[in-house]
Amino acid sequence: MKIATILGTRPEIIKMAPIIDEISKRNINQIVLHTGQHYDKEMSDNFFKDLELPTPDYNIHVGSGTHGKQTALMMRGIEEVLLVEKPDIVLVQGDTNAVLAGALVASKLHIAVGHVEAGLRSFDMTMPEELNRRAADVASIMYFIPTEESAINLLSEGFSHKNLFITGNTVVDACFRHLDLAKKRGFEDESLTGLDIENMENIATLTMHRAENVDIKERVVNIIDALKELSDLNIIFPIHPRTKKTLENFGLFDELNDLDNVHIVNPVGYLDFLLLTSKSTLILTDSGGLQEEAITLDVPALTLRYNTERPETVTAGGNILVGSDRQAIVENACKILDDKEFADKMKNAKNPYGQGNSAKLTVDAIEDYYDKGLLDIEAPEDIMDSFTRKMAEITENVTVGEFEKTENALIHMAYDGDKMCFPADDLNLKGMMITYDKRE
Ligand code: UD1
Ligand code: UDP
């Protein structure tokens, strides 16, 4: 079997690292293709070093540009590589342009696509990421899904539960694997050692780069106004290159940089950043990965967005959506600082993203599909089944697997009287309502 992994940005490198590692531990043939969307050393190379990843086999150097141009260049470059390498499956991760380009190109070449971190939905179609992740889901055949909530998003859109694997998120694998190392090693980045963070109190780690925040001046101004009021916090802000550029264009960079409580630094490596977040009293962010890391590291998060595709973090109690609303940012940050009970409740929120074995579960599922020949994509030879869409209330003990076999049916959804449940093969359906396709 040959697995091709496509990645191109900082979070994809971090979240694919445990899977790349797992594939090489099992001696499976693999290639890694870097799109070159992130190219600065501090957005790319440093992560290969910190995560001890081999240099990618290919880098197609697409660089920065408009969405259309960047995605088109990726598609052209990825297609050339896939035609030569002919992998059995292509893995894409998350919601960047690489996911869209990789999934479209591979699926049109009839190469199986596995979407890592599938099923997330912000329901905000103005976000490029929402379009990317939805399109990638349409083009995939295996879905590695962090939580049951995200799996239910896919079921609601009509995907078969047979191809959905609830694996947790590899961000937890990466976090658990590297935190001790980061603690033993200590800070290495000079911009952090220079700040004497070891002896700092009330640290808030801030990151923002989301287009819908940093490209809108009014939102940036509101966030800066909130930061000005948070004078009891030491706000460490490793600034994303996109954000640096837009702050400079808006003429706001110096104003922010001059604040005594805000320390702007260049993006830092993964180990430095893990250590920084783990020492933080709170996290202010619009990053996807950071919302997950915050709840993994038991650090309260205030998310500078109006919606999230990670609602589990909010319902678990570890994350609050504050948008770019000055008052909401200030009030919640002060509450975390001053109200121990409130802060403890946020810290103790249960991590919904698994045990740190997500890479193992992902590669197990891929090997199983390969062994069963399910990665082979061929034009159908059988006349399609006709089926009727049905609903039933189940009164006896029967599992999903048993029901599907005896009834020659595929269950879409099971309702336990209160909420939708994921129809895992061993779920006992007694007392549930189900919807299903009955093959004639
Ligand atoms: C991209 C992803 C976003 C992800 C983020 C992770 C898409 C649509 N967006 O956003 O989902 O959360 O990565 O960080 O795929 N730049 C540099 N150096 C670099 C890379 C970028 O200076 O190494 C600057 C360029 O001016 C570029 C801007 O940052 O125009 C934005 O980069 P881009 O790759 O388009 O999107 P991100 O904002 O990084
Ligand atoms: N990160 C890092 N150094 C930094 C800022 C972030 O290592 O200076 C890591 C962080 O640990 C997380 C990932 O980058 O795993 C998040 O990436 P980003 O916020 O760029 O993208 P998103 O997750 O929003 O797609």
Side-chain angles (χ1 to χ4, degrees), residues 10-11 14 47 207 209-210 238 240 267-270 273 287-289 293:
R10 168 170 76 184
I14 294 169
F47 293 92
T207 77
H209 68 278
R210 206 55 64 194
H240 190 289
V268 298
Y270 184 60
F273 193 76
S287 156
E293 284 167 349

Side-chain angles (χ1 to χ4, degrees), residues 7-8 36-37 56 72 116 122 125 157 178 219 237-238 258 266 268 318 342 355 362 370 379 385 410 430:
L7 43 74
Q37 180 172 351
V116 176
S122 67
M125 295 308 293
E157 291 170 24
H178 294 92
R219 291 193 171 177
F237 182 18
D258 287 346
N266 284 331
V268 298
F342 182 78
Q355 319 299 319
T362 302
Y370 177 75
D385 284 339
L410 178 74
K430 189 171 180 187

Side-chain angles (χ1 to χ4, degrees), residues 1-4 85-90 111-113 370 375-376:
M1 175 168 57
K2 189 193 267 186
I3 302 178
E85 292 286 350
K86 299 187 173 43
D88 294 288
I89 184 166
V90 165
I111 298 172
V113 178
Y370 177 75
L375 297 182
D376 302 331

